[in-house]
Amino acid sequence: MAKTICALMMVAVLSACAAKNTLPPVGLQSSGLESPLYRIGAGDSLSIFVWRNEDLASSAQVRPDGRITLPLIDDLEAAGKTPTELARDIEEALSVFVQDPLVTVMVTGFVGTFEQQVRVVGAATNPSAIPYRANMTLLDVMIAVGGLSEFAAGNRATLVRWVDGEQKEYRVRLDSLLKGGDIGANTMVLPGDIIIIPETFL
């Protein structure tokens, strides 16, 4: 009876894996895809330059509430904006004190919004959320988290992605990629992807 139950469980797992979509390898994906513009997130470090007003130049870290404080400006919303959008908002706030201010915002330390992070959970060496980079691949993500843990079932890993407002799951073969050297198992990742790595059955 126990053997029958185990067999049925294995069939169910294999069927679930087979039902998942498979992402194309890196070489077959379009290289012309445009990366989304970077949006500032809580924890990001910023450098603000105000042309011809060096005394207003400053550095700031985005607070957990998504705001920053600058000379002459209190509690300005920064999270979720591009650096250019934030620069325009700073110019508007400074225009009360400075005639025609010209501001440049540079991101010097990256965390990003949750929507622009790639999160790895489960049996990775260092499960974590990492900032998305342009043209990031599955291999890049796994290097960033230190690879698989000792008990990871890498070929049963799942990549969860939102597509047109719908959550979809894709099968990824991490053992084949990292241990077998199968570069065909490498694929592009996108901002907001979640990679779930289960442990082996004990």
Side-chain angles (χ1 to χ4, degrees):
M1 182 67 176
K3 289 183 179 179
T4 302
I5 293 173
C6 288
L8 289 173
M9 288 178 61
M10 289 301 295
V11 169
V13 168
L14 291 173
S15 298
C17 290
K20 291 177 184 173
N21 298 313
T22 302
L23 292 165
V26 170
L28 297 180
Q29 292 180 315
S30 172
S31 59
L33 291 175
E34 289 189 14
S35 296
L37 291 173
Y38 184 81
R39 294 194 174 274
I40 296 165
D44 279 359
S45 298
L46 308 176
S47 181
I48 293 93
F49 171 77
V50 184
W51 190 52
R52 291 184 176 176
N53 288 273
E54 294 182 3
D55 53 329
L56 295 178
S58 62
S59 298
Q61 186 170 34
V62 183
R63 303 194 308 250
D65 63 1
R67 295 176 174 84
I68 56 173
T69 299
L70 304 172
L72 302 179
I73 303 174
D74 293 328
D75 299 331
L76 181 64
E77 187 71 37
K81 298 175 182 177
T82 68
T84 300
E85 290 170 348
L86 179 58
R88 300 295 83 81
D89 288 349
I90 295 173
E91 288 173 354
E92 182 179 352
L94 286 177
S95 63
V96 178
F97 310 100
V98 179
Q99 184 176 0
D100 299 325
L102 183 59
V103 175
T104 300
V105 173
M106 294 166 284
V107 183
T108 56
F110 298 89
V111 175
T113 62
F114 287 120
E115 293 80 9
Q116 289 189 308
Q117 294 175 352
V118 177
R119 280 162 279 184
V120 182
V121 297
T125 301
N126 297 298
S128 57
I130 57 177
Y132 173 79
R133 300 193 311 269
N135 302 314
M136 180 176 269
T137 68
L138 187 61
L139 181 59
D140 296 324
V141 172
M142 294 313 300
I143 291 172
V145 299
L148 299 171
S149 71
E150 181 181 359
F151 301 106
N155 279 353
R156 291 196 289 111
T158 300
L159 186 148
V160 180
R161 175 177 295 169
W162 285 92
V163 180
D164 297 327
E166 181 182 355
Q167 185 174 284
K168 294 191 175 182
E169 295 185 0
Y170 300 89
R171 184 172 64 91
V172 288
R173 298 179 292 114
L174 298 178
D175 280 335
S176 297
L177 175 62
L178 301 176
K179 298 177 182 178
D182 181 5
I183 202 64
N186 197 18
T187 188
M188 302 297 294
V189 296
L190 295 177
D193 281 354
I194 302 172
I195 300 166
I196 303 170
I197 308 170
E199 290 189 344
T200 56
F201 292 119
L202 299 178

